[in-house]
Amino acid sequence: MATIRHGDLVIEVPDDLSPDEVAVRDIGDDDPLAQALSAADDLALVHKVAITVDRPLIRTVEASTSGRPVAPLLRVRSGGDGDVLLCERGGCFSWATHRGTPPDDEHVSAVRPTVFDEPRRGEPELRIRLAAAGVAENTLRLFGIRLRQSLAGDVVAGLESRIVRPSLVEIADSDPTTWTPIQPADVSFGAGTSRVVLLVHGTFSTTRTGFGWRDAGWRAVLDGLIGAEGTTVLGFTHRTLSEDPEQNARQLVALLDQLRADRIDLDILTYSRGALVARSAIELIGMPVGVVVRDVTMLGGPNAGTLLADRSNWSTLLDLYTTLLADVIRRFAGAAGGAAAQQVLTLIFAVVKGIIDQALDAEQVPGLAAMTPGSAFLGRLNAGSAPNGGVTYSTVVTDFEPSEVADMSQDLSAALARIADEVVDPLMGDAANDLVVDVGSMSLIDGADLATPDIHRVPSTSGTHHLSYLLTDESLRIVSELLD
């Protein structure tokens, strides 16, 4: 067996393949994902390589920091202590977590549905099934990532507390670089009734990373809200991993209680998990005196949970979320989107690192566990505590079907089709879904479906998936009308 060394990477080539047929090159600094990872404050990008095999022999690649052989045809491992590996092939990403049941020969998954074995500290392994026989070239991209500084204790709580500080965020301009935390007492209101539009973000995000995509369409919607007479736009940044939505809601209500206004008419726009935070504030905690909620618009909200939040599916969730994030950067945001992706990638990395080093369980990541269908939190939230008739809940939903998207590139369509058809749809029993949350969950509140006029469907032809509700024209039109 021959060995190719590329920095700290060790690539072992089997006897039936010549090293001359394996090309290893560095990925350029202009790559959007490499830029995002390189710029992340807490992460160091130690590898960014493309590995190409010029013969259709490769069927499985194992990327590992453990050096534990599982008889792959080509084996790649990192010599760095504590490295985590992220691998891309054909637009689909996989993180190195604990080894799960490999896909069988008849079902080739681009993002594998992993079943966790008994955790083995410090032994992450990743298997990716490459192109089928008859394809002349196999290429994968590999990113090696490590923490810049070691963290004592729970890596998820440690990294999240460094990145996310619960606060209200002032949004006086659609440029997200101007968005800053603000003390509630410093928000200025005129006499009488004032309107506040509140943005509540989803998992792995902050206000800036969840709503700060520099897309012209979304910025136009924001500019319209910011310029509306008597309207103040605020965000609520909160921790989505180490705290559950009810904890977030208590923080939100406490902050709203400190606003100095005669009366506030509150309209809320939530993305994904943010729906659970807003609903908890309204239904479980109760709004402060003088704050009157009028409308809650929910984008892809997991109101009855998502199976991807179950611990057995965390690896799939991490891979899937990374794949969709990279798609958003490529299709919608370009290099500028990398800035918004830095903290998202860091928080995803935190969960991956925690799984590898600390065998995370649901108690250590309550923000994820709360979204598991049937969780104690969802039981409390959906126990019939719907708000009074003065509050309107609206949900924006979509069923992602890549075959129906006319303007999607062939390569991207194939990648997302594999994810939808081989991973997400089987997991969700072929129910309509946006690749993360099923449509039924989005519209099921307190045990009953929302009224038909309050369910707004983004057509599948738009190419909208869970991370792009604020980036496609059809979805933005609905959002703009609901916030008008």
Side-chain angles (χ1 to χ4, degrees):
M1 178 176 287
T3 298
I4 300 173
R5 295 184 179 274
H6 192 89
D8 283 342
L9 279 181
V10 179
I11 304 164
E12 295 182 355
V13 181
D15 293 336
D16 61 352
L17 188 65
S18 168
D20 294 337
E21 295 171 307
V22 180
V24 184
R25 60 176 176 81
D26 289 320
I27 294 170
D29 292 335
D30 58 346
D31 179 83
L33 184 65
Q35 289 178 339
L37 289 167
S38 298
D41 292 338
D42 292 291
L43 304 182
L45 180 60
V46 293
H47 307 298
K48 51 183 180 72
V49 302
I51 303 173
T52 301
V53 179
D54 288 327
R55 284 166 54 192
L57 294 178
I58 301 303
R59 299 197 61 192
T60 303
V61 169
E62 175 201 9
S64 144
T65 64
S66 68
R68 185 185 182 95
V70 197
L73 290 177
L74 183 70
R75 178 172 165 219
V76 184
R77 69 179 187 273
S78 172
D81 183 29
D83 292 355
V84 172
L85 298 176
L86 173 63
C87 188
E88 179 202 6
R89 193 264 303 174
C92 298
F93 286 80
S94 290
W95 290 88
T97 54
H98 292 297
R99 180 165 54 104
T101 302
D104 59 49
D105 290 336
E106 299 300 323
H107 299 87
V108 180
S109 293
V111 179
R112 80 249 180 264
T114 296
V115 179
F116 283 86
D117 295 334
E118 191 66 25
R120 298 181 299 278
R121 183 177 295 270
E123 294 188 359
E125 297 176 349
L126 169 67
R127 287 185 172 191
I128 298 178
R129 181 93 50 199
L130 288 187
V135 177
E137 181 178 88
N138 286 300
T139 298
L140 64 87
R141 301 196 312 158
L142 191 67
F143 300 87
I145 310 162
R146 70 174 64 135
L147 287 170
R148 294 190 185 276
Q149 298 178 343
S150 61
L151 290 174
D154 185 342
V155 66
V156 173
L159 272 178
E160 189 168 38
S161 65
R162 289 167 59 129
I163 294 173
V164 185
R165 293 171 178 81
S167 62
L168 292 179
V169 176
E170 183 179 41
I171 302 176
D173 188 288
S174 61
D175 179 359
T177 63
T178 67
W179 301 357
T180 55
I182 191 170
Q183 295 297 321
D186 294 334
V187 181
S188 299
F189 295 102
T193 299
S194 300
R195 182 198 185 199
V196 169
V197 176
L198 180 69
L199 311 181
V200 186
H201 61 80
T203 307
F204 302 119
S205 296
T206 63
T207 298
R208 185 180 290 188
T209 60
F211 292 96
W213 297 104
R214 299 187 183 190
D215 174 79
W218 168 234
R219 291 187 69 169
V221 173
L222 264 184
D223 283 333
L225 293 172
I226 293 166
E229 184 177 355
T231 297
T232 299
V233 182
L234 299 173
F236 172 51
T237 288
H238 53 283
R239 294 170 183 153
T240 64
L241 301 173
S242 57
E243 297 173 354
D244 68 33
E246 190 170 350
Q247 290 174 280
N248 304 144
R250 292 186 185 280
Q251 297 163 355
L252 172 60
V253 171
L255 290 167
L256 293 176
D257 195 30
Q258 298 173 53
L259 293 174
R260 297 176 178 174
D262 295 337
R263 169 182 159 133
I264 291 175
D265 284 347
L266 184 62
D267 296 327
I268 306 176
L269 174 65
T270 72
Y271 165 68
S272 191
R273 179 188 180 279
L276 304 180
V277 176
R279 287 186 55 209
S280 294
I282 296 166
E283 300 178 35
L284 300 181
I285 312 302
M287 286 290 175
V289 174
V291 177
V292 179
V293 182
R294 301 189 308 178
D295 298 294
V296 180
T297 299
M298 297 174 280
L299 310 178
N303 287 300
T306 171
L307 288 168
L308 286 168
D310 186 275
R311 191 201 182 288
S312 63
N313 296 322
W314 283 359
S315 182
T316 299
L317 172 66
L318 296 165
D319 292 349
L320 176 59
Y321 216 92
T322 306
T323 299
L324 297 183
L325 179 65
D327 168 47
V328 166
I329 294 173
R330 282 193 305 267
R331 279 207 290 157
F332 301 106
Q342 294 164 20
Q343 293 178 346
V344 179
L345 288 166
T346 300
L347 292 176
I348 293 174
F349 171 90
V351 178
V352 174
K353 183 70 171 170
I355 291 171
I356 292 170
D357 290 351
Q358 298 167 332
L360 289 183
D361 59 23
E363 292 183 358
Q364 292 168 287
V365 196
L368 281 183
M371 295 186 290
T372 304
S375 70
F377 162 74
L378 286 175
R380 292 193 304 276
L381 183 62
N382 289 318
S385 51
N388 61 46
V391 181
T392 299
Y393 283 166
S394 299
T395 184
V396 180
V397 308
T398 193
D399 179 18
F400 182 77
E401 291 291 349
S403 62
E404 298 182 12
V405 186
D407 61 349
M408 187 180 295
S409 72
Q410 184 175 355
D411 290 344
L412 180 59
S413 178
L416 295 182
R418 288 198 300 273
I419 293 171
D421 296 340
E422 300 178 23
V423 180
V424 180
D425 287 350
L427 179 67
M428 297 187 180
D430 292 323
N433 64 81
D434 66 2
L435 293 182
V436 175
V437 181
D438 65 273
V439 172
S441 175
M442 299 178 205
S443 56
L444 189 64
I445 293 179
D446 298 314
D449 285 325
L450 288 175
T452 300
D454 296 324
I455 302 173
H456 303 268
R457 300 183 183 276
V458 181
S460 297
T461 53
S462 69
T464 305
H465 57 59
H466 191 73
L467 264 65
S468 60
Y469 281 100
L470 294 176
L471 296 168
T472 60
D473 292 341
E474 293 85 346
S475 181
L476 279 174
R477 177 186 55 77
I478 294 171
V479 171
S480 179
E481 290 175 356
L482 290 172
L483 293 177
D484 189 9

